[in-house]
Amino acid sequence: MDIQEYLDGLMAASKPYWCARWDAGPQPATVARHLRGRGTWLYRMLLPLIDRWGPGPLDGFLASLAPDRRYQVLPILIEHTDMPLEQIEDWIRGPFQGNIHHFAGCTMMHLWRDMFRDGSAPARASAALGVTRSRHILSYDSDSTAPDLPFPSEARRAARDDFGLDPGDVDLLDPMQSLPAPVFAALARFRLAGWPSDEAVLTALPESPGQPLTVALPAFSRVAALTREEIDAWRTMLAEAGPGALPLAEIWRLCAPVLAWRLTGVPAAAAPWCAAAKLPPDEALAMHRAGTLDVAGLRVLALLSR
């Protein structure tokens, strides 16, 4: 069993909970009309997005897409809940020329966001790419590649001021430079997502033998919306009770289940073991409130049921 299949199985075990939560809460009107008869995995993907951005704005965004594309973009959106939805839309409709797939593959975007926090980053990036049209129609082309967004000159100045580096020590292509641009950009994303420091990010980075930091850190930045406690707890559960250690290249798969379980109110350290033991979220929360949620016991149960 692969990791995604295992995680889907854990979430499907709590199907009644996710369905009830969807039925009881506010729903994006356009999307809700098209959900009938579809898999409940959509509920689990949509619930964290609704909680983050509200049903109205999310519905407006998804309704702008062709019906067959609305659900393809959900994994991309849930990976970017560290960003405001209106900022996401500005980037997609501007420098990425409407293609949501470009948005998922452009780490450098976060460096522009960090340098220009006044909302002008998408327009400035469009100018740097030579994109003149400001509001492209939303689309999704999974066969395309993200544009080669340049390194902003303001970031070179920041590198000099914050790190004492000469501008020549920050380079987009040379991994031997003091602070390669992909690393600088990935750290910017964590910074904007509320991580306490660059040192905290580097300490949390899973070991990745043979992978340069220019590859490992951008891969890790795909879970910037999560906390270190959540990342560590779910990785530990997968290694001990699941299919095995989670490769860094697949760490992004944690976003959907972690954010869904975050909504339940169950502590981050206990949530993955509740999932692995197939304990319904409402029961887990009730046990937590009663002080009877035993993580060690859940771990044993999960290991016995492997």
Side-chain angles (χ1 to χ4, degrees), residues 7-181:
L7 289 171
D8 288 344
L10 295 188
M11 300 300 286
S14 298
K15 175 181 176 180
Y17 174 85
W18 304 116
C19 291
R21 183 145 190 163
W22 171 264
D23 291 338
Q27 301 172 3
T30 303
V31 174
R33 287 197 297 271
H34 294 278
L35 275 178
R36 295 182 183 89
R38 294 179 177 267
T40 55
W41 70 271
L42 285 170
Y43 300 161
R44 306 192 302 267
M45 296 287 280
L46 285 164
L47 285 168
L49 300 181
I50 294 170
D51 182 69
R52 174 68 175 89
W53 296 319
L58 179 62
D59 192 57
F61 181 90
L62 294 175
S64 299
L65 286 159
D68 61 330
R69 298 298 191 190
R70 289 171 188 162
Y71 310 112
Q72 291 179 317
V73 305
L74 293 182
I76 295 174
L77 292 179
I78 206 165
E79 188 183 314
H80 288 84
T81 53
D82 51 307
M83 292 180 63
L85 184 58
E86 61 271 17
Q87 194 175 123
I88 290 174
E89 188 164 0
D90 285 344
W91 274 94
I92 296 171
R93 290 188 184 275
F96 300 146
Q97 302 182 65
N99 191 345
I100 298 176
H101 186 69
H102 287 173
F103 178 77
C106 192
T107 303
M108 190 61 65
M109 166 186 67
H110 303 290
L111 189 53
W112 286 77
R113 293 175 58 222
D114 197 18
M115 290 299 102
F116 305 104
R117 300 194 182 192
D118 60 354
S120 66
R124 291 174 182 268
S126 291
L129 292 170
V131 176
T132 56
R133 184 177 170 185
S134 60
R135 300 292 288 179
H136 290 80
I137 296 173
L138 292 181
S139 62
Y140 180 78
D141 179 6
S142 59
D143 294 329
S144 60
T145 57
D148 188 13
L149 193 61
F151 195 93
S153 58
E154 287 77 3
R156 293 186 181 275
R157 288 198 291 271
R160 179 190 60 204
D161 297 340
D162 296 346
F163 296 94
L165 299 174
D166 292 330
D169 289 330
V170 183
D171 191 86
L172 180 62
L173 300 175
D174 187 356
M176 300 305 292
Q177 292 290 347
S178 301
L179 193 62

